[in-house]
Amino acid sequence: MTSSKYSEKYQIQLFEGNANGEISLAMMMNIMLAISEHQLDQLGISQQQLVANYHVGWVITQYHIEVKRAPKVGETIVASTQATGYNRFFCYRDFWIHDQAGNELVSVKSTFVMMDIQTRKIIPVIKEIVAKFDLEPSKQIVRFPRIPHFDDTKTITSQDYRVRYFDIDSNGHVNNTRYFDWMQDVLGFDFLQKHSLKTADVRYEREVHYGDVVQSEVQKAAENITLHRIMNNGEIAAEAQFTWQ
Amino acid sequence: MTSSKYSEKYQIQLFEGNANGEISLAMMMNIMLAISEHQLDQLGISQQQLVANYHVGWVITQYHIEVKRAPKVGETIVASTQATGYNRFFCYRDFWIHDQAGNELVSVKSTFVMMDIQTRKIIPVIKEIVAKFDLEPSKQIVRFPRIPHFDDTKTITSQDYRVRYFDIDSNGHVNNTRYFDWMQDVLGFDFLQKHSLKTADVRYEREVHYGDVVQSEVQKAAENITLHRIMNNGEIAAEAQFTWQ
């Protein structure tokens, strides 16, 4: 049994559009995560309630994102989400964006873990919380596509990004959708104007904090495949593979 | 006679909140400008229609903003706008944000000019366009509070901001609300956590473009008054005075 699917309409605002009149990957995830938070709020396990009652929070560790078409400025979309499974450490959640005619525009598979907000350490998922999803524990760990490592013999392009005040969200953390902007910006205007993102696989390794200066590194792995790393003080904060059309 | 006031409800999303759980000055203006664009669209003079039919666009030159309380994440607000007057070169427009109980949270006075999108030069306002506002031409030029110049004997703090791909809006320009983020970010986390913005006077002087590296300069003019300049290639792109509580 899976928990019920939750959906909301959302109208894309003028100020949410990029130079192509579409929303960015970061904004797609922002919208889907906000919808998901509304569902959790109704179940009594919003971020605030998790902090207040359990001293824990969710941390995203992995996304697999498929984009058939990016939503456009002015368009009304339907964003949906559904918890699909869990085991000792991992919770799995899917997201979708459909257009008003019911066509799927974006689909996402994700993995979350639970973190003790005092120790900042990953903990086993709290049964009382996942019980709200009305799901049986999964026997298996869901496998995501492998993100290839950089090829040390090929060119790496890098750009510095200082974490700014407005990169911090209302939980006091760097909003992890910001990583997408850093990963894409380093590709430059011409590339981003001429290419549409088709898939994104992202793995989050470490938190970054206000004032950190991260390096967004990119390597072209093949025609229409880019590999990305967010480096912070010499350590990998996130890795990704994007495919383009 | 003034043109009619136009209002829309707007719910503040989770991802729109800053570290204080409120929306930034940039987001307040984004929301009010989006609502205003909806009104212009209904009058047949949206940005796209102005470009297509007249080869012109609006350029903001000045804001006077008063913030009684910043809207919060999850809150539903009412954003309103009204064209209030025009003369040979200037159009005046007011904006407001109210809470659901009708309390005024934010009020804005603004001046716009009309630009030929080919020559990038300011032109006299086109009568056929302002006729839609159902306003008599104003005899007077509206005066805004003077923004003091920097005091060369006092400390100036400066930080570089490279204009990024996602700073460009769907009109292909650097969204001028981005300037607010640059002006505020340079003040640093501690200041922004401990102070609430009360008023902002902003004057725009020159466009900035993708790839430009601007300097956001700030000087403390008095307890709770900061002066701001956005410098681009040695020229002033924008000046502002903020007051804080």
Side-chain angles (χ1 to χ4, degrees), chain B residues 32-44:
Chain B
M32 289 185 276
L33 291 167
I35 298 302
S36 142
E37 184 64 14
H38 294 171
Q39 182 185 37
L40 297 176
D41 193 26
Q42 290 181 13
L43 294 171

Side-chain angles (χ1 to χ4, degrees), chain A residues 18 159 162 165 185 189 210, chain B residues 159 162 165 185 189 210:
Chain A
N18 63 18
Q159 173 81 46
R162 189 175 50 81
Y165 183 73
D185 183 63
F189 189 89
Y210 175 73
Chain B
Q159 173 81 47
R162 190 175 49 82
Y165 183 73
D185 183 63
F189 189 89
Y210 175 73

